[in-house]
């Protein structure tokens, strides 16, 4: 029994997880057919529908490792999800990453104690995604000619961190962007023996201070959403 997700929620084997529940609504209404609202407990919207005849769920995660940890754990263990792909936003801390760039997170660095608390071993504070999903998204990006880069990101617990960009890059082993959820999702998937991946869109540059506004963050991540959905329909169920 879940106190966070409707016990009768119809959840697909493949789940896309944006942090913002309103972004979940936008993705579902923009890309899916036969969409139905399957969860709105605590305002965390979840939708299930069909993308090119394949059943997919779009479910919000909220902000931070604890929040995505709760929702991804329950989706994996209580609702039968097999794959979870986070689709979120990130801030660039490297000149090579620009506004609008799509990032595939092949390594998530974090000082968080979350993995330790759920019994997942971490090497050098870094966790990696499912190799199966990483290979699948790489092939999908090439097939659909979606330009993206693979890199390490920092999954921070503090949005307003005291660390400078230089300090952040040094302690993380030269990560190129910062966000708040990938590490938690990867830890949860490892514990559940399931598959997880994170795809991000750069929405602000912490070096140049260029940024998207809140509305743009909700509605303009089309390349990322397409990449995630096209990857979803290529997976073995």
């Amino acid at each position: 029994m879940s106190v966070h997700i409707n016990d009768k929620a119809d959840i697909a084997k493949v789940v896309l997880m944006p942090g913002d529940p309103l972004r979940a609504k936008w993705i579902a209404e923009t890309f899916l057919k036969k969409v139905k609202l399957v969860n709105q407990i605590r305002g965390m919207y979840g939708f299930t529908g069909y993308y090119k005849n394949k059943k997919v769920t779009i479910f919000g995660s909220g902000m931070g490792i604890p929040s995505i940890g709760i929702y991804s754990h329950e989706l994996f263990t209580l609702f039968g999800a097999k794959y979870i792909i986070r689709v979120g936003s990130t801030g660039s801390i490297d000149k090579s990453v620009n506004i609008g760039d799509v990032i595939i997170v092949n390594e998530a660095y974090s000082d968080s104690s979350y993995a330790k608390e759920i019994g997942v071993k971490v090497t050098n504070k870094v966790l990696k995604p499912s190799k199966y999903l990483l290979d699948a998204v790489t092939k999908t990006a090439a097939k659909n000619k979606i330009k993206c880069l693979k890199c390490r990101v920092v999954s921070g617990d503090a949005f307003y961190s005291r660390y400078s960009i230089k300090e952040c890059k040094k302690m993380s082993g030269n990560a190129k962007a910062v966000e708040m959820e990938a590490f938690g999702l990867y830890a949860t998937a490892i514990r559940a023996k399931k598959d997880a991946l994170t795809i991000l869109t750069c929405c602000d540059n912490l070096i140049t201070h260029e940024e998207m506004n809140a509305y743009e963050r909700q509605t303009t991540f089309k390349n990322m959403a397409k990449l995630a959905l096209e990857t979803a329909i290529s997976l073995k169920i």
Side-chain angles (χ1 to χ4, degrees):
M1 178 179 175
S2 170
V3 296
H4 308 103
I5 301 173
N6 174 11
D7 285 329
K8 297 182 180 179
D10 179 15
I11 304 296
K13 296 297 182 183
V14 185
V15 179
L16 270 58
M17 292 198 82
D20 184 351
L22 292 179
R23 192 179 301 148
K25 183 174 185 289
W26 173 77
I27 293 173
E29 293 177 347
T30 302
F31 294 96
L32 302 187
K33 294 180 179 180
K34 299 180 181 178
V35 179
K36 58 183 178 181
L37 178 67
V38 297
N39 188 75
Q40 55 184 331
I41 294 173
R42 299 172 181 248
M44 192 59 71
Y45 295 136
F47 301 86
T48 294
Y50 290 84
Y51 180 75
K52 295 185 178 180
N53 298 317
K54 190 148 189 176
K55 191 175 180 181
V56 179
T57 293
I58 318 292
F59 205 107
S61 72
M63 291 187 288
I65 288 172
S67 187
I68 198 170
I70 290 170
Y71 287 106
S72 61
H73 172 78
E74 293 186 4
L75 289 168
F76 277 141
T77 63
L78 300 179
F79 293 89
K82 188 173 181 180
Y83 308 104
I84 294 180
I85 302 174
R86 164 164 154 69
V87 283
S89 57
T90 188
S92 169
I93 55 172
D94 191 274
K95 292 180 180 179
S96 67
V97 182
N98 301 305
I99 297 294
D101 283 354
V102 177
I103 294 172
I104 298 168
V105 179
N106 60 4
E107 294 181 329
Y109 170 96
S110 186
D111 278 327
S112 173
S113 65
Y114 177 77
K116 180 180 178 181
E117 290 187 31
I118 65 170
V120 172
K121 184 178 179 180
V122 180
T123 301
N124 297 323
K125 300 183 180 182
V126 171
L127 290 177
K128 297 183 179 183
S130 154
K131 184 179 184 304
Y132 174 61
L133 287 183
L134 189 59
D135 289 343
V137 75
T138 301
K139 292 176 183 176
T140 301
K143 179 180 178 181
N144 290 273
K145 298 180 180 179
I146 298 174
K147 184 180 178 181
C148 53
L149 61 98
K150 295 177 184 176
C151 70
R152 174 179 293 193
V153 304
V154 175
S155 296
D157 279 335
F159 186 84
Y160 300 103
S161 173
R162 67 180 177 87
Y163 294 112
S164 67
I165 292 174
K166 184 177 180 180
E167 289 172 324
C168 188
K169 287 177 71 69
K170 182 178 179 180
M171 71 183 186
S172 66
N174 205 33
K176 296 184 182 297
V178 293
E179 54 90 72
M180 300 186 73
E181 290 86 23
F183 182 88
L185 175 59
Y186 292 174
T188 304
I190 291 168
R191 183 190 187 189
K193 297 181 180 180
K194 299 290 183 71
D195 293 276
L197 177 72
T198 295
I199 306 173
L200 304 170
T201 297
C202 179
C203 63
D204 60 338
N205 189 307
L206 302 181
I207 300 172
T208 66
H209 304 295
E210 182 184 4
E211 62 181 2
M212 294 182 183
N213 62 39
Y215 179 75
E216 290 171 330
R217 294 183 191 209
Q218 279 182 209
T219 62
T220 61
F221 291 178
K222 290 185 177 180
N223 279 343
M224 174 177 64
K226 181 180 178 181
L227 177 58
L229 287 164
E230 289 291 331
T231 300
I233 63 173
S234 75
L235 303 176
K236 298 176 182 178
I237 303 299

